[in-house]
Every structure is written in C-alpha cells, then in structure tokens.
C-alpha cells in the first residue's frame, strides 16, 4: 500500500493533567469523554471533557476518596449513560455524570484492587440483562446486575488459596440472544479462560505463556467470531472462535509487535476486522485481519478444525514516551478515538481512510 493511501493516525487534541490516568472512555452519543485515575495522594480523579472548536473543555471534575482503576459504559442505557468504575479498594460503583456527589450503585466487589471491568446489555448492544463483569487481584471474576444489591449474579474463582492468580482483563462476548452470554478472563500467568454464563462452566481454556494484559471479542452481540489476547513482551494472539477442535481447540495466530507490553487491543466498532493495539513504549499499531479462503477444514478423522487468518500492519505511530494505558473508539464517528497514557496526558486521535 502506498504511503499516501495508508490510514494516518493523527493527534487532534491533547490535554495534560495532574494525576495518573488509567482509563478514558467516550460518553455514548456525545462529543464528551470521561477520564479517570489516581491523584498522588491516593484519591480518585474523575473528569468530563468535551471536544469543542477551541480544544478540550473541562466540563466537570470531582475527587473521590479512593483511586479509580477502570471504567465502562457497557451496561448502561443510552438514556442514563451511567459510568461503572472499579477502584483500588475493590468497590464497584456506578455514577450518574449529572450528579457526581454520590454513586447510583455501590458494592464491595473484591478484596483488593479491581483490575478490569466490562459491561454488556446496555446501549442496545447484546441481548439479555445489563450486566457488569469485574476481575480483581484476589483472582475472582464476578458478574453483577445493578438491579440486585450486594450479591453477584455469578462468581468464578479458584477453590484453593494457593491457586489464585491475579486477573488482569475480562470481557463479555457471545451475547447474541437473551439466554446466551459468556465471559473471557485473562490472568497474570498467561491463562485465558472462557466461562459460559448459561451453563456456569468453563467452556475453554488455554495458556499464552505470558501475562494477559487484554482480552476482547471483535463483537459482543454476535456468536463468538474472533478473540484478541494481548500479553507482556510485545505479543498478541487472535483466536478464530467459530470452530473448536476437540483436541486442538480454536485456531489462532500470534504476532510479535515490539519488545514492549501490548497494553490493550480495541476493535473498530464500524469494522470488526480492523483493530488498534497500544504498547508500553507509547506506540499505537493499526491492524487489519484477513480471513482465510476456508475458515474450517475437515481432518483425517472427519472432525472440523478451524483455520486462522492473517494480520497486516496498516499504520504505526509513537505518541508518547510512556505506556498507553487505555484506548477507546467512538461509536458515533468512525476513526475518532481517545487514549490515555502514563505521561499524564489524554489525547483525542483521528484515524483516517478506514473505509478503504
């Protein structure tokens, strides 16, 4: 692809803040985003910014008792647009951004820090009830319904204390009907586990040999299609989740990015085959997945076996000297994104030529 025909990654706006940024998320159906993190004194920072012609305009700012680690709008309706957050004390809270004095919902979800959070059933995405999944340092993965006080809908944790591993990433998927839904979790020892919420069982598990920083399905509201898994030491894997072989499992490909952690992977909402990975060296890599001629073949025993596709690097750019901690595509404007990094900057990014 000629240089001028490639997608370009452009920093549109940048804002420096006085706290450590852990997450930045677009507020659905708006030109605003929320940034959350931790002040040096251990308190939580939450800011709401609006993209305007003059730059980034700070609309709201609050400081809470405990540092925020992660957030999602995935379980909230487009009318409410409540932000669900996980903090360093293990509390799960949802916030009405118009009234930030008290949380709309609060529960002690984990012992210790909540590392990761995801939502499903809100914003018209995915069938079934609106639910939130959290993963913590205590090794537990818990599913919450904000209509049910204090008790999780489901809890997946190891039986023995010695086998508990730090859960670094969780995501929902396979939510194509009111009864189907699964949760994928990645752990610090490289384990990836797929939990079926309908049968309450482990549907599949594997190990990718390095701590799992991020897991994400290309879509939550369809039958499982592709699963991205990013790890320490600059690797990511893409699993084809349509065909499972009884012995070999799901077909996959692995790609080495650079000698740095791949902190997150986010699929473009308007095209599930395009995705962005963000690195520990402050880099962003834009990829495109190409399907093989046949996604499944029959082996000598007559059993269907999946075939992995290939990925092509469309563009890469280094935005920061520090790791990019989060990245979020806008569902309303193709190519518009917001990212946060550990250089205490939040950036609004535009990616061009994505429709080619």
């Amino acid at each position: 692809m000629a240089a001028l025909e490639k997608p370009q990654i452009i920093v549109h706006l940048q804002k420096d803040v006085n706290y450590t940024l852990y997450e930045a998320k677009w507020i659905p159906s708006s030109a605003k985003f929320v940034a959350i993190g931790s002040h040096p004194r251990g308190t939580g920072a939450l800011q709401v910014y609006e993209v305007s012609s003059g730059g980034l305009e700070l609309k709201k700012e609050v400081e809470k008792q405990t540092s925020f680690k992660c957030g999602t709008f995935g379980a909230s309706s487009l009318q409410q647009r409540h932000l669900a957050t996980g903090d360093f004390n293990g509390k799960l809270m949802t916030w009405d951004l118009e009234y930030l004095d008290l949380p709309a919902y609060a529960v002690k979800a984990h012992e210790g820090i909540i590392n990761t959070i995801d939502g499903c059933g809100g914003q018209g995405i995915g069938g079934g009830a609106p639910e939130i999944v959290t993963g913590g340092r205590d090794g537990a993965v818990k599913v919450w319904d904000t209509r049910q006080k204090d008790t999780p809908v489901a809890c997946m944790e190891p039986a023995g204390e010695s086998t508990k591993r730090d859960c670094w990433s969780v995501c929902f998927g396979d939510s194509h009907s009111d009864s189907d839904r699964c949760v994928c979790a990645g752990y610090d020892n490289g384990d990836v586990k797929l939990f079926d919420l309908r049968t309450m069982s482990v549907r599949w598990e594997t190990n990718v040999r390095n701590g799992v920083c991020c897991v994400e399905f290309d879509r939550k509201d369809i039958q499982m299609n592709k699963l991205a898994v990013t790890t320490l030491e600059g690797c990511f894997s893409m699993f084809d989740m349509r065909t499972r072989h009884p012995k070999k499992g799901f077909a996959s490909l692995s790609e080495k990015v650079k000698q740095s952690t791949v902190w997150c992977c986010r699929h473009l909402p308007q095209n599930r085959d395009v995705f962005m990975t963000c690195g520990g060296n402050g880099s962003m890599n834009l990829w495109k997945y190409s399907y093989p001629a046949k996604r499944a073949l029959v082996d000598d025993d007559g059993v269907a076996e999946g075939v992995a596709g290939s990925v092509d690097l469309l563009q890469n750019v280094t935005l920061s000297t520090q790791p990019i901690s989060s990245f979020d595509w806008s569902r309303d404007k193709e190519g518009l994104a917001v990212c946060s990094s550990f250089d205490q900057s939040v950036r609004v990014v535009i990616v061009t030529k994505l429709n080619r």
Side-chain angles (χ1 to χ4, degrees):
M1 190 182 287
L4 293 176
E5 295 176 2
K6 285 184 176 181
Q8 301 298 315
I9 303 171
I10 303 160
V11 177
H12 176 51
L13 298 167
Q14 180 173 341
K15 187 81 172 179
D16 294 333
V17 298
N18 62 351
Y19 60 91
T20 301
L21 281 156
Y22 285 113
E23 192 105 58
K25 288 281 185 185
W26 288 106
I27 300 174
S29 300
S30 76
K32 299 176 184 176
F33 64 85
V34 61
I36 59 174
S38 171
H39 284 292
R41 54 182 168 271
T43 55
L46 191 156
Q47 293 180 321
V48 178
Y49 287 95
E50 183 171 19
V51 178
S52 63
S53 57
L56 287 177
E57 189 178 337
L58 180 61
K59 289 294 184 181
K60 291 194 176 179
E61 181 176 20
V62 292
E63 185 174 348
K64 296 298 177 183
Q65 188 175 0
T66 308
S67 301
F68 295 113
K69 179 64 171 69
C70 50
T72 181
F73 286 98
S76 179
S77 68
L78 289 174
Q79 290 75 34
Q80 289 185 320
R81 296 188 291 189
H82 286 182
L83 173 70
T85 60
D87 70 17
F88 277 56
N89 278 352
K91 285 193 81 173
L92 165 66
M93 292 177 279
T94 64
W95 302 90
D96 183 346
L97 296 179
E98 300 299 322
Y99 179 76
L100 287 167
D101 292 344
L102 292 170
Y105 172 86
V107 64
K108 175 69 172 174
H110 291 267
E111 295 299 324
I113 186 173
I114 297 178
N115 289 319
T116 175
I117 192 169
D118 192 26
C120 191
Q123 305 177 42
I125 301 168
E131 290 177 333
I132 299 166
V133 61
T134 56
R137 184 172 287 175
D138 57 4
V141 175
K142 298 182 181 181
V143 180
W144 305 86
D145 189 326
T146 55
R147 300 168 298 180
Q148 178 176 307
K149 265 289 189 187
D150 301 331
T151 310
V153 177
C155 179
M156 290 77 75
E157 58 182 338
E161 286 289 328
S162 60
T163 57
K164 287 186 177 180
R165 305 299 309 203
D166 203 336
C167 179
W168 281 356
S169 182
V170 291
C171 70
F172 278 114
D174 203 29
S175 183
H176 57 91
S177 72
D178 289 348
S179 57
D180 289 287
R181 187 173 286 176
C182 68
V183 166
C184 187
Y187 298 84
D188 66 342
N189 63 342
D191 281 348
V192 179
K193 296 179 187 289
L194 185 67
F195 302 102
D196 191 323
L197 295 183
R198 185 172 63 172
T199 60
M200 286 307 299
S201 62
V202 178
R203 190 191 289 190
W204 167 75
E205 57 185 320
T206 189
N207 188 284
V208 291
R209 300 189 300 278
N210 258 318
V212 178
C213 301
C214 178
V215 290
E216 189 186 66
F217 287 99
D218 57 353
R219 286 286 183 276
K220 297 177 186 178
D221 55 346
I222 60 172
Q223 289 187 7
M224 290 189 301
N225 187 49
K226 298 195 300 293
L227 174 69
V229 178
T230 74
T231 68
L232 304 174
E233 298 186 18
C235 283
F236 73 85
S237 300
M238 188 68 73
F239 291 86
D240 188 311
M241 306 296 285
R242 281 291 162 92
T243 307
R244 181 184 177 185
H245 190 275
K247 293 181 180 177
K248 299 178 182 178
F250 295 107
S252 68
L253 67 90
S254 294
E255 191 77 19
K256 187 83 172 173
V257 184
K258 277 187 177 178
Q259 290 294 337
S260 65
T261 297
V262 184
W263 277 76
C264 64
C265 172
R266 293 291 177 259
H267 290 85
L268 182 68
Q270 294 83 5
N271 182 355
R272 67 187 182 197
D273 298 329
V274 175
F275 58 97
M276 186 78 80
T277 59
C278 301
N281 59 353
S283 66
M284 284 184 181
N285 295 296
L286 184 68
W287 305 85
K288 183 170 184 179
Y289 183 89
S290 299
Y291 293 99
K294 290 186 177 180
R295 292 187 66 179
L297 297 173
V298 178
D299 64 13
D300 296 337
D301 298 326
V303 180
E305 179 182 346
V307 180
S310 59
V311 291
D312 298 308
L313 181 63
L314 299 181
Q315 189 58 270
N316 67 309
V317 66
T318 300
L319 299 183
S320 170
T321 57
Q322 299 296 319
I324 295 175
S325 55
S326 76
F327 183 91
D328 190 40
W329 294 105
S330 169
R331 292 190 167 274
D332 307 302
K333 191 75 173 174
E334 185 179 36
L336 184 65
V338 63
C339 66
S340 63
S341 60
F342 288 148
D343 61 359
Q344 295 190 336
S345 291
V346 61
R347 296 171 175 88
V348 175
V349 177
I350 296 173
V351 184
T352 65
K353 299 187 177 76
L354 287 171
N355 54 355
R356 295 191 176 183

